[in-house]
Amino acid sequence: MGKKMEKYLKEEWDAVVVGAGHAGCEAALALARLGYSTALFTVSVDSIAMMPCNPNIGGSSKGHLVREIDALGGEMGKNIDATFIQSKMLNQSKGPAVHSLRAQADKKNYSQLMREKLESNENILVKQAEVTELIVEDGRIKGVKTYTGAIYECRVCILCTGTYLKSRCITGEVSVHTGPNGLMSANYLSESLKEHGIKLRRFKTGTPARIDGNTVDYTKMEPQFGDEKIVPFSFTNKAEDLEREQVKCWLTYTNEKTHEIIRDNLDRSPLYSGMIKGTGPRYCPSIEDKVVRFADKNRHQVFIEPEGLYTSEVYIGGMSSSLPEDVQADMYHTVPGLEHARIVRNAYAIEYDCIDSLECKPSLELKKIDGVYSAGQANGSSGYEEAAAQGLMAGINAARKLQGKEPVILDRSQAYIGVLIDDLVTKGTNEPYRMMTSRAEYRLLLRQDNADLRLTPLGYEAGLIDEQRYQHLLEKEEMIKDEINRIKHTSVGGTKEVQSLLEEYKSTPLVSGITLAELIRRPELSYDVISKIDVERPALPEDVCEQVNINIKYEGYIVRQEKQVRQFVKLEKKRIPDNIDYSLISSLRLEAKQKLQVIRPESVGQAARISGVSPADISVLLVYLENYNR
């Protein structure tokens, strides 16, 4: 190649983001909004923010992540608010800690709107090209090389490769080396990572078939409606601005005939024939896995979900599979309502390379390459929301590195994002990691309704939240504080009006005076209910009223959890120097030495969460650190 051409193919950027899925979009937007020139690479510009699997955003615990992304200044919440076709708050019969927002998306509109956001930012170049190599000098990133030989020099790089690294899609006996939805796979970057000492894993996930909705008999299914009152994902939106006509989803079930077909063809399933080597997701199993693992169940739920307003394609939720095409047709046709359904896209499994998440620091920077970050399914997680959360944090921390500032590390007491990243970089994962509310020890504090109160100040400090939004948050905090104080110091007696209200809600009558706060704590009453006897109640925004009610009603539990957090923070503040050689700490058990040496925790708190490190090992470490610091 001539020197003139070599010069033409060389560009300089502040940042390079590899992959334009949900992680890559958040990473690129964070960097660009903070003023850094960013080249965003994708194997296809038509795959930007693509939803290759389920056509929805949010869900149990995932809704928490989306609201946290929004509170920090990310884009996912705004994008789904603008493109949803059905919205629903899950788990409303339970406590507020597990309430989770979920919305069906118009997949095409979601992707298109995110692409517009990227392309309209003057600091972003969206580039269709396959990145094949990291250029590293003296342990630091210098740039990337594409398949055509072009070089893009950069100061930081974020890997958001999704499920594309050496990917292959498998349906029955047929294996094709492509990425999701038949797009190109990325076949070279894995080798470059290995050359730099990065440990890779081989994971697997899958997706159900898509069928022609015109061939579905919905009369045999149960309709699933969205909420009449919309709750926005983004704290910048108001419910009344999001009102629109919503589509129906539908519920049906597999049956014994379905299961019989699956069992009779397990020998043709690549999951059981040994054709698939990658590890699949425990919490989102294929229908073959469900039938084998839960043999006592005679049926499984199947959700029929529209893919968008301008297509007849529908998604068969709960029936992902890698069975052969003929078996898929027979299997789906046994489900009530799908007897004559025509398959538009076959179900398939996809196998791919990803980075061992223990290769990452809590900032998501790779331990072995200075300036390279990794986010999303590239780190072994699953789900759009988990990916977007990591992409945002990687983008923020890459920008912080360029600014010469310390990274933003969310801990487990601050956010579900903190739990997600800490689990990945401290415990690692042997299977695609999925966020769940049960993973969060402090979930009563980490509710989806208070994500802005927890995280917007951090987003403001990072530069992704503007002054107006920050001031609005401060006003909201003040209103909540003042109203809680008023409620705690306002008493009522056993007047006729009060006793009548208590009788209406089957609550114990009063024999003496009581504060409004004490009334709210009664299970059958709430802040809104007692408004009928609260003559001095001010007119407050709905989100303020919600916080007042929750904080008063659950005050005892919240105080107890805050006490636990204070103990947790003590250990998190005990920092561990980078240069400690754990092999020299004689009283540590061998397993603890090995795990600590590999993971190299940044705090005693993180060390205590490493599998294989016992409380006795932590006691030894604390004594050693005390002497070390002297």
Side-chain angles (χ1 to χ4, degrees):
M1 188 180 288
K3 291 202 176 284
K4 187 175 181 183
M5 184 61 75
E6 277 187 16
K7 185 176 180 183
Y8 177 72
L9 289 175
K10 200 172 275 189
E11 295 186 10
E12 293 183 10
W13 295 83
D14 291 324
V16 160
V17 177
V18 183
H22 302 280
C25 290
E26 294 291 352
L29 284 168
L31 281 158
R33 287 167 174 170
L34 292 171
Y36 294 104
S37 62
T38 303
L40 174 62
F41 288 89
T42 172
V43 294
S44 169
V45 292
D46 296 321
S47 69
I48 291 172
M50 185 176 71
M51 294 180 171
C53 195
N54 52 299
N56 56 66
I57 295 291
S60 182
S61 77
K62 293 169 178 277
H64 292 66
L65 290 173
V66 182
R67 296 204 104 199
E68 290 181 351
I69 290 165
D70 180 75
L72 287 164
E75 194 62 33
M76 180 174 264
K78 295 186 182 73
N79 212 61
I80 185 59
D81 278 351
T83 59
F84 77 85
I85 55 179
Q86 189 194 91
S87 179
K88 200 169 192 174
M89 184 67 76
L90 306 181
N91 303 324
Q92 291 196 72
S93 62
K94 300 177 182 177
V98 294
H99 291 179
S100 289
L101 194 56
R102 183 179 187 269
Q104 295 294 131
D106 185 302
K107 290 173 75 163
K108 184 178 179 181
N109 285 347
Y110 184 94
S111 176
Q112 186 173 327
L113 182 60
M114 190 67 83
R115 181 175 173 179
E116 288 174 12
K117 292 285 173 62
L118 294 164
E119 292 179 339
S120 63
N121 191 302
E122 62 182 12
N123 288 328
I124 294 176
L125 166 70
V126 176
K127 178 73 175 179
Q128 182 169 297
E130 181 186 349
V131 171
T132 57
E133 186 181 330
L134 299 182
I135 302 170
V136 180
E137 294 179 12
D138 299 322
R140 177 165 180 76
I141 189 69
K142 291 297 180 182
V144 301
K145 184 182 284 189
T146 69
Y147 184 75
T148 59
I151 291 174
Y152 292 78
E153 295 180 348
C154 61
R155 296 192 286 157
V156 292
C157 173
I158 304 178
L159 303 176
C160 305
T161 53
T163 60
Y164 287 85
L165 291 187
K166 285 196 170 177
S167 57
R168 63 174 185 142
C169 291
I170 306 154
T171 301
E173 298 89 355
V174 179
S175 172
V176 185
H177 288 273
T178 67
N181 271 13
L183 294 168
M184 280 177 54
S185 58
N187 292 316
Y188 301 96
L189 188 57
S190 290
E191 295 310 312
S192 180
L193 289 167
K194 288 178 185 177
E195 285 171 9
H196 294 296
I198 306 301
K199 183 180 177 184
L200 301 183
R201 291 185 176 277
R202 191 75 174 161
F203 278 178
K204 166 253 161 190
T205 186
T207 188
R210 310 305 194 275
I211 56 178
D212 181 354
N214 296 321
T215 62
V216 174
D217 184 355
Y218 294 107
T219 64
K220 295 181 179 180
M221 301 179 179
E222 303 168 27
Q224 306 289 299
F225 301 97
D227 292 339
E228 285 187 25
K229 183 179 175 184
I230 300 299
V231 177
F233 272 105
S234 176
F235 291 96
T236 63
N237 287 326
K238 295 181 180 178
E240 55 267 29
D241 297 332
L242 300 181
E243 290 179 2
R244 67 192 70 159
E245 187 175 349
Q246 299 184 56
V247 302
K248 294 191 197 90
C249 295
W250 303 85
L251 173 63
T252 183
Y253 297 88
T254 63
N255 51 56
E256 275 301 331
K257 181 62 177 173
T258 320
H259 301 177
E260 181 185 341
I261 290 172
I262 292 169
R263 283 191 292 264
D264 288 347
N265 288 278
L266 284 176
D267 61 319
R268 298 181 65 197
S269 167
L271 280 178
Y272 293 93
S273 68
M275 187 174 178
I276 290 177
K277 305 296 183 186
T279 307
R282 179 193 307 257
Y283 300 104
C284 189
S286 67
I287 189 64
E288 301 97 284
D289 263 348
K290 288 182 187 176
V291 169
V292 171
R293 284 163 53 186
F294 308 108
D296 57 317
K297 291 188 178 292
N298 56 19
R299 69 175 191 171
H300 295 282
Q301 287 185 326
V302 178
F303 288 96
I304 307 300
E305 303 171 337
E307 296 254 295
L309 296 176
Y310 307 105
T311 176
S312 64
E313 268 189 275
V314 294
Y315 175 86
I316 313 180
M319 287 192 76
S320 68
S321 177
S322 58
L323 285 163
E325 185 174 9
D326 59 306
V327 180
Q328 287 187 32
D330 291 343
M331 171 183 76
Y332 288 128
H333 288 158
T334 64
V335 176
L338 303 184
E339 292 90 347
H340 305 290
R342 292 179 184 152
I343 296 176
V344 177
R345 308 185 201 214
N346 290 322
Y348 61 86
I350 183 167
E351 230 182 16
Y352 55 96
D353 286 349
C354 59
I355 291 170
D356 184 333
S357 57
L358 295 180
E359 296 281 351
C360 298
K361 301 175 184 178
S363 64
L364 295 180
E365 185 177 20
L366 295 185
K367 295 171 183 175
K368 293 172 184 169
I369 311 178
D370 190 27
V372 176
Y373 297 75
S374 180
Q377 285 182 279
N379 282 343
S381 63
S382 70
Y384 312 142
E385 304 81 4
E386 290 91 336
Q390 291 173 66
L392 176 62
M393 296 311 299
I396 289 172
N397 286 329
R400 302 277 288 190
K401 191 174 192 73
L402 295 175
Q403 294 163 352
K405 296 179 180 178
E406 289 295 309
V408 175
I409 310 294
L410 299 175
D411 69 42
R412 302 180 74 89
S413 68
Q414 288 178 292
Y416 269 74
I417 296 175
V419 175
L420 163 67
I421 294 175
D422 184 63
D423 278 352
L424 288 171
V425 305
T426 302
K427 302 174 183 176
T429 182
N430 294 319
E431 61 193 29
Y433 177 99
R434 178 179 179 173
M435 193 69 237
M436 295 181 292
T437 53
S438 59
R439 296 191 192 273
E441 305 93 313
Y442 311 112
R443 56 186 171 272
L444 184 55
L445 302 180
L446 308 183
R447 306 183 309 275
Q448 55 89 30
D449 59 78
N450 69 358
D452 58 335
L453 298 166
R454 291 184 279 116
L455 298 176
T456 295
L458 288 173
Y460 175 71
E461 196 273 331
L464 292 177
I465 297 292
D466 62 30
E467 186 67 33
Q468 183 179 359
R469 183 171 174 184
Y470 180 59
Q471 290 302 322
H472 177 76
L473 177 83
L474 295 181
E475 292 168 10
K476 177 178 175 179
E477 286 180 327
E478 197 63 30
M479 283 189 280
I480 294 168
K481 179 183 173 184
D482 289 347
E483 182 62 356
I484 289 175
N485 185 59
R486 185 189 72 83
I487 288 288
K488 285 184 173 181
H489 293 88
T490 301
S491 298
V492 293
T495 64
K496 182 179 179 181
E497 184 184 17
V498 170
Q499 302 290 36
S500 176
L501 177 76
L502 297 178
E503 183 181 349
E504 180 185 349
Y505 286 89
K506 297 181 173 56
S507 192
T508 306
L510 296 185
V511 293
S512 61
I514 193 173
T515 66
L516 294 178
E518 289 173 294
L519 283 178
I520 291 171
R521 289 192 191 106
R522 293 185 178 188
E524 64 277 6
L525 302 179
S526 68
Y527 178 66
D528 282 341
V529 167
I530 65 150
S531 65
K532 299 172 185 177
I533 56 172
D534 183 5
V535 294
E536 296 178 1
R537 173 171 167 166
L540 294 170
E542 193 169 338
D543 57 344
V544 171
C545 297
E546 180 182 34
Q547 292 305 309
V548 170
N549 184 64
I550 291 172
N551 277 280
I552 290 176
K553 186 171 279 291
Y554 297 94
E555 183 179 33
Y557 300 102
I558 290 172
V559 168
R560 187 185 311 160
Q561 203 148 91
E562 286 173 341
K563 183 179 179 182
Q564 293 169 347
V565 167
R566 285 193 291 274
Q567 293 298 114
F568 163 80
V569 169
K570 281 183 183 178
L571 288 179
E572 294 301 302
K573 285 184 176 179
K574 291 185 185 295
R575 310 306 291 175
I576 300 177
D578 292 336
N579 57 350
I580 280 185
D581 185 347
Y582 293 98
S583 66
L584 301 178
I585 307 177
S586 57
S587 299
L588 281 177
R589 292 176 309 112
L590 179 60
E591 183 184 8
K593 287 180 182 180
Q594 292 172 341
K595 293 287 182 70
L596 290 165
Q597 199 72 17
V598 169
I599 296 171
R600 304 208 64 79
E602 297 188 358
S603 70
V604 175
Q606 187 186 359
R609 294 189 295 277
I610 297 173
S611 175
V613 177
S614 70
D617 294 321
I618 295 301
S619 297
V620 169
L621 182 59
L622 285 168
V623 171
Y624 178 85
L625 288 173
E626 193 173 325
N627 294 327
Y628 182 93
N629 292 328
R630 284 176 186 166

